[in-house]
Amino acid sequence: MVRSIRIVAAAALAIGLLAGCVSRADQSAPQAAPETVPLSELSGLTLQIGDQKGGTEALLRAAGALEDLPYDVAFSTFTSGPPQIEAATAGKIDFAITGNTPPIFGAASNAKVKVVSAYDGGGFGDQLLVHADSPIQEVTDLRGKSIALAKGSSAHGHTLVQLHRAGLTPDDVKLVFLQPADALSAFKQGRVDVWAVWDPYTAQAEKELPVRSIAQATGVTNGAGFGVASAAALADPKRNTALADLLVRYSKAVKWAHDNRDEWVARYSAEVGLDPEVGAVAQGRSLRLPTDLSDELVASEQEMADLFAESGQIASAPDFSQWVDRRFADQLSPLYIERD
């Protein structure tokens, strides 16, 4: 039997989910995984999943991975990763997939979450955009310029690393913290000089606006996405079991999208309301492929966390490894996909 799928508006969850609501009790201690329960015992359970438009739900639905679920799922839409971390900490969602920076901000605020899976996004769509006629040619030209980005997002991390490599600090520029829709408006109106953003926003801007990219994240940051689960869900036998099942379904759905690009692009573009050409660009370079939550990947996150602390973007650098939980590795490792 196909379980029901419910969608919850993002605005309803956004109320009260401020960073200040995160508990300061230590959340970094290792958690023992509870006993797995039979899937047949999950009837009546609703797994709450944070999502971004055209993200987890769209992919699962397109691949048919939401058929015959032994539990219910409810999707809540967010504009970026940081509010998803806050929602998981507040107990509003059980799981979400974010970019590489939101989990760092979560760890720095002692969020009640763990990173449980990893996805290679390549970083090709994470770019710093300027207007085509801008005098800015490279990152070293950004001194004194304004950069629109979502605080705590992958764009924030990418921007910080780019500035560091160019010998600049956040104090040398003006960081304007805006969610993508507001950032686009500010950029189009010339109220900011640069827009740091990710796909599909990057691909859409390239199609619809006269823009140039002065930097991309590939080879600069790890370009990864992460599956983040709430500590409460991981401690609950039924939710933990459902999460394991969902993660396997998601990895298989990505494999389907990877092997059926044209069909996935058509479904994705329709879901997001994008020109199919834009969808093809975005998913052609930024489809997140399941990968190993390796020590090397965790170390690259730690380097970014250290840089955030050194530059004053967070108060202190967390030990990122303490926010990593590899309990699902055995189920997921056969499903890893190498990027072409």
Side-chain angles (χ1 to χ4, degrees), residues 49-50 52 56 81-82 84-85 93-105 113-121 152-154 221-229 247 250 288-302 304 320-321 323-326 332:
I49 304 170
Q52 296 182 53
T56 304
Q84 293 176 312
I85 301 292
I93 61 172
D94 299 311
F95 176 77
I97 294 176
T98 78
N100 57 8
T101 305
I104 292 174
F105 272 67
V113 300
K114 296 290 183 180
V115 171
V116 295
S117 58
Y119 307 93
D120 176 13
S153 68
S154 61
T221 71
N222 56 41
F226 292 101
V228 180
L247 285 167
Y250 183 79
R288 289 173 170 170
L289 306 179
T291 192
D292 184 19
L293 185 52
S294 64
D295 289 342
E296 181 182 7
L297 182 56
V298 172
S300 70
E301 285 288 288
Q302 187 64 54
M304 194 182 300
F320 191 77
S321 67
W323 269 265
V324 173
D325 189 321
R326 296 184 173 91
L332 297 180

Side-chain angles (χ1 to χ4, degrees), residues 51 54-66 250 253-258 264 268 271 283 287-288:
D51 199 8
T56 304
E57 182 188 8
L59 183 57
L60 288 168
R61 189 185 293 279
L66 292 177
Y250 183 79
V254 177
K255 178 68 163 58
W256 172 85
H258 181 265
W264 165 234
Y268 169 80
E271 177 77 20
Q283 290 303 304
L287 179 64
R288 289 173 170 170

Side-chain angles (χ1 to χ4, degrees), residues 120-142:
D120 176 13
F124 302 100
D126 295 344
Q127 299 186 24
L128 303 187
L129 302 177
V130 299
H131 292 283
D133 59 357
S134 170
I136 300 170
Q137 298 298 319
E138 54 190 24
V139 178
T140 53
D141 298 331
L142 292 180

Side-chain angles (χ1 to χ4, degrees), residues 28 34 65 92 137 178 200 204 207 256 272 285 319 336 340:
S28 64
K92 301 296 185 181
Q137 298 298 319
L178 297 170
Q204 190 168 20
K207 171 73 173 179
W256 172 85
V272 183
R285 67 189 179 191
D319 179 353
Y336 295 156
D340 298 335

